[in-house]
Amino acid sequence: MTLPHNTPHKTRIHWADIGVNLTDKQFRDDRDNVLKRARAADVSWQLITGTSLEESRQAVALASQHDDLYATAGLHPHGARFYSPETEKELRELLQSPEVRAAGEMGLDFNRDFSPRPAQEKAFEAQLALAVEAGLPVFLHERDAYERFLPILKAWRHQLKGAVVHCFTGSKRALFDYLDLDCHIGITGWVCDERRGRELAALVPNIPDNRLLLETDAPYLIPRNLPTAPPLKRRNEPALLPWIGQCVALLRDQTIDVVAANTTANACELFATASPEQMIAPD
């Protein structure tokens, strides 16, 4: 992977991937190699996204086996119609797991409407309450739902330990409103897409250094501008996070070292993890 020519590397850099779907079936046959490639690419830790009860269980189980993996636990808005007292009881238990560092993925998705909007709103608020109860930050999903999402989040924000708007692709107004609520902003390979990422690319310099986070959302959203042949089956994976970081660095007129240091420090603080220097190196 080619890094910017003006980037000095006096010390090893570290990256944190704050959104990766490692339990996805696309990683079933070679997950260990995916982890090895990520570590070789200086991705020091990853946050595995829980989007359903089953995936949250799997995320916790996987994270418990590796010192450089953490997990979230939640119900994606696509599955909000399945939210029930039983779901809430198990989510509450999962949020007590030491591997879980955020509640979610939760929020609203009015683009696909796989669950009725009233059900999405109900599940969203219920999970915000669980996050407050557990003292955890929230991992948020918002797509084409900004007008309804913002007032719900605003009503709860003062009680939340922290919040990241995962895979942000919204408008300038939305970005500034989320920043006004002291949210972190997760940037994915969407920013590398010359077709649909132009608006996001223009907004990236407006994100303060201390609110910027990076994520692959692997196996989805593979960067379209990779300089070499894409990985197997055009599947995104955590080892490609430095490429997203390089794109962000160029957009912000910063070195890749600065972006790596800032985003990793932000991730460690938000999700209460050890710094890469403090972590035991994985086998």
Side-chain angles (χ1 to χ4, degrees), residues 2-136:
T2 304
L3 300 180
H5 63 82
N6 64 341
T7 302
H9 288 292
K10 297 179 181 179
T11 59
R12 180 185 174 188
I13 63 175
H14 298 275
W15 299 97
D17 189 343
I18 65 99
V20 53
N21 300 282
L22 271 182
T23 61
D24 189 274
K25 63 183 180 181
Q26 293 189 54
F27 294 126
R28 180 175 50 208
D29 296 331
D30 65 341
R31 189 177 291 113
D32 287 344
N33 288 331
V34 169
L35 292 174
K36 288 177 182 178
R37 285 193 291 271
R39 292 161 186 156
D42 296 321
V43 179
S44 296
W45 67 258
Q46 301 168 48
L47 187 67
I48 310 169
T49 310
T51 59
S52 66
L53 279 181
E54 180 57 29
E55 289 192 357
S56 295
R57 293 186 203 107
Q58 292 177 16
V60 171
L62 183 57
S64 70
Q65 300 170 26
H66 300 272
D67 291 336
D68 56 344
L69 299 182
Y70 302 97
T72 76
L75 186 65
H76 192 286
H78 287 345
R81 64 190 184 278
F82 301 119
Y83 198 88
S84 67
E86 292 74 22
T87 301
E88 185 165 292
K89 180 178 183 294
E90 184 163 358
L91 280 180
R92 178 178 282 109
E93 293 171 356
L94 285 167
L95 292 175
Q96 299 303 315
S97 304
E99 296 83 7
V100 172
R101 299 307 171 96
E105 184 172 352
M106 67 173 77
L108 303 177
D109 192 312
F110 292 173
N111 177 268
R112 297 186 178 180
D113 286 315
F114 287 162
S115 283
R117 295 182 181 186
Q120 290 189 45
E121 293 182 19
K122 181 178 179 181
F124 183 23
E125 293 214 59
Q127 291 182 87
L128 289 169
L130 287 178
V132 171
E133 179 183 316
L136 289 171

Side-chain angles (χ1 to χ4, degrees), residues 143-220:
R143 189 172 183 189
D144 294 350
Y146 158 77
E147 297 289 350
R148 190 69 195 101
F149 180 91
L150 183 68
I152 293 174
L153 177 60
K154 189 173 184 179
W156 286 89
R157 181 64 185 92
H158 68 288
Q159 300 181 67
L160 294 167
K161 184 176 181 180
V164 55
V165 181
H166 145 73
C167 189
F168 177 79
T169 58
S171 66
K172 182 176 182 179
R173 177 186 172 192
L175 174 63
F176 279 60
D177 280 342
Y178 296 146
L179 290 173
D180 284 345
L181 290 180
D182 202 23
C183 293
H184 287 74
I185 307 298
I187 299 299
T188 65
W190 188 286
V191 78
C192 306
D193 190 329
E194 80 287 355
R195 305 165 304 167
R196 53 185 185 173
R198 292 181 181 179
E199 182 177 4
L200 177 60
L203 293 177
V204 161
N206 293 291
I207 304 172
D209 283 340
N210 67 346
R211 286 295 172 266
L212 178 65
L213 295 172
L214 297 179
E215 52 182 321
T216 57
D217 202 25
Y220 314 113

Side-chain angles (χ1 to χ4, degrees), residues 248-262:
V248 169
L250 292 172
L251 291 168
R252 294 171 67 84
D253 195 24
Q254 294 175 323
T255 67
I256 199 168
D257 302 68
V258 166
V259 170
N262 287 341

Side-chain angles (χ1 to χ4, degrees), residues 229-241:
L232 181 67
K233 299 180 181 178
R234 293 196 59 82
R235 177 191 67 182
N236 199 5
E237 59 179 73
L240 298 179
L241 188 71

